Amino acid sequence: MQTLSQVLKASNAPVALQDVLTTTTNTCIDICKALHKGSLAGILGVAGNENVQGEEQKKLDVISNDMLKSDLMSCPAVRAVASEEEDDIVPANTNGEYLIAFDPLDGSSNIDINAMVGTIFSIYHDQGEKPATEADFLKPGTEQAAAGYVLYGPSCMLVLSTGQGVKMFTLDPEKNEFVETQESVTVDKDTQEFAINMSNQRFWSESMQGYVNDLVAGKDGARDKNFNMRWVAAMVGDVHRILCRGGIFMYPWDSKDPTKPGKLRLMYEANPMAMLVEQAGGKAHTHTQRILDIQPEGIHQRVPVILGAANEVDKCLSY
Ligand code: F6P
Ligand code: MN
């Protein structure tokens, strides 16, 4: 079995991109170790602040953000970083060639119950003479040079795309390195499993309610087949399940807070996951367009997300 560094060396990814990926994933190994210590290290619970999105920060949100930020800032290939936990972008090295946006700890409400969380990242190539600005980050997801996540579950896994399919790696804790465990990931076009937070049902659009009603009606309804439902409450866990055994995941627009067009953030949740899902043969849309085609307007912009099995995403959009 090949290690991550062997796979990267054998790929045609530029050396500077390999450096950014190695730095990011090594930091994720450190985050994994911090998570495993849990209460023993006194790192569970709230940090006592809110992030720029008005969400309560957990200690581990802050710790993993600080770890990624500091390691990436000292990687010469990194031009700037953007994070869910930082109000503004953080310029790193003016001569760096890559911008990286990340969600340092996705699904962090799962920390309290010792359930799945992960780190999601999205990398763009960008060179300039001046320190990077937010405007440099505002590129559509189609321009991502690489995207991936590290899932901190029963085993620690890296799922990565540099634009030539999707590979899965598993952390060998003895050797302290990621080892390739699936060379090529594909998502079936059809599915009988969906993921959505049903408690928001009454706030969805009429068409989304109609679609989910038909899923729930199963064999007795218009779809004439039964569906199963799953909800990890961490996007990284739900998308991982889809990459492993298929399905459709939705966090649609809802009317709970009319100022928010969706819950998930485009730059460090929707775009990297959309790249992975598309690279595995699935689809990723808002209710009106392909996610990767969106021209971002801000680093913390939110979008509705419908992704997974291609035919099921089409079916949902047909409502
Ligand atoms: O980052 C936002 C997030 O935690 C996602 O990981 C997850 O899919 C979603 O929010 C969970 O939302 P809810 O609290 O509605 O279950
Ligand atoms: Mn998140």
Side-chain angles (χ1 to χ4, degrees):
M1 282 193 285
Q2 288 197 297
T3 63
L4 173 63
S5 51
Q6 288 168 332
V7 171
L8 288 175
K9 272 197 199 107
S11 74
N12 55 8
V15 173
L17 177 59
Q18 294 185 32
D19 289 346
V20 179
L21 287 167
T22 304
T23 304
T24 306
T25 53
N26 282 342
T27 308
C28 289
I29 296 176
D30 294 339
I31 294 173
C32 180
K33 287 184 189 149
L35 282 163
H36 280 163
K37 283 193 191 146
S39 290
L40 295 175
I43 53 174
L44 301 191
V46 296
N49 330 310
E50 281 190 348
N51 66 16
V52 64
Q53 349 257 332
E55 293 161 345
E56 181 183 73
Q57 281 180 315
K58 305 274 183 190
K59 282 186 202 165
L60 275 165
D61 284 323
V62 177
I63 292 168
S64 39
N65 181 58
D66 289 349
M67 289 166 76
L68 276 167
K69 191 171 67 170
S70 105
D71 291 353
L72 286 166
M73 300 284 277
S74 43
C75 171
V78 174
R79 186 155 182 249
V81 302
S83 163
E84 176 179 338
E85 307 302 340
E86 300 282 337
D87 297 6
D88 303 310
I89 69 135
V90 187
N93 307 293
T94 306
N95 296 327
E97 287 175 52
Y98 287 94
L99 303 174
I100 165 155
F102 54 82
D103 179 349
L105 208 59
D106 177 59
S108 55
S109 69
N110 275 358
I111 293 169
D112 302 340
I113 57 163
N114 197 20
M116 265 192 255
V117 289
T119 297
I120 310 173
F121 57 87
S122 159
I123 302 175
Y124 288 89
H125 187 254
D126 186 87
Q127 258 174 321
E129 256 112 65
K130 296 191 197 126
T133 63
E134 177 169 347
D136 296 321
F137 275 84
L138 304 182
K139 307 181 202 300
T142 46
E143 290 182 33
Q144 290 172 104
Y149 60 80
V150 173
L151 177 74
Y152 310 111
S155 56
C156 178
M157 292 191 70
L158 164 69
V159 179
L160 178 67
S161 178
T162 54
Q164 279 144 338
V166 179
K167 291 182 185 298
M168 288 192 184
F169 301 82
T170 304
L171 178 66
D172 180 336
E174 269 134 45
K175 298 200 175 115
N176 224 21
E177 59 189 353
F178 283 107
V179 176
E180 187 184 86
T181 42
Q182 196 176 338
E183 199 190 335
S184 173
V185 177
T186 50
V187 175
D188 283 351
K189 291 201 170 355
D190 294 296
T191 184
Q192 286 179 240
E193 194 161 75
F194 70 99
I196 195 164
N197 183 342
M198 289 293 293
S199 71
N200 293 326
Q201 186 167 27
R202 68 190 187 283
F203 302 109
W204 300 332
S205 67
E206 246 177 69
S207 45
M208 184 51 76
Q209 297 201 30
Y211 169 67
V212 176
N213 283 344
D214 284 348
L215 297 182
V216 174
K219 253 210 151 317
D220 300 333
R223 298 298 302 276
D224 194 28
K225 60 175 182 176
N226 292 326
F227 284 82
N228 185 25
M229 198 206 86
R230 286 287 183 270
W231 188 246
V232 177
M235 186 193 200
V236 73
D238 281 305
V239 171
H240 189 68
R241 186 187 57 256
I242 286 171
L243 292 174
C244 291
R245 69 166 191 222
I248 182 168
F249 166 89
M250 295 159 282
Y251 215 114
W253 172 89
D254 66 50
S255 62
K256 261 202 289 187
D257 181 349
T259 63
K260 292 181 185 164
K263 180 170 186 189
L264 301 175
R265 276 55 57 101
L266 175 63
M267 300 293 297
Y268 40 80
E269 294 179 319
N271 264 340
M273 294 312 204
M275 177 169 176
L276 293 172
V277 167
E278 283 202 6
Q279 285 287 323
K283 283 195 173 182
H285 274 244
T286 69
H287 53 304
T288 54
Q289 72 178 128
R290 180 182 175 217
I291 286 174
L292 294 180
D293 285 335
I294 298 172
Q295 172 56 53
E297 285 162 10
I299 49 167
H300 298 296
Q301 176 178 351
R302 293 175 194 264
V303 288
V305 172
I306 301 161
L307 61 77
N311 290 345
E312 199 54 42
V313 171
D314 285 344
K315 188 79 185 168
C316 175
L317 296 174
S318 75
Y319 281 67

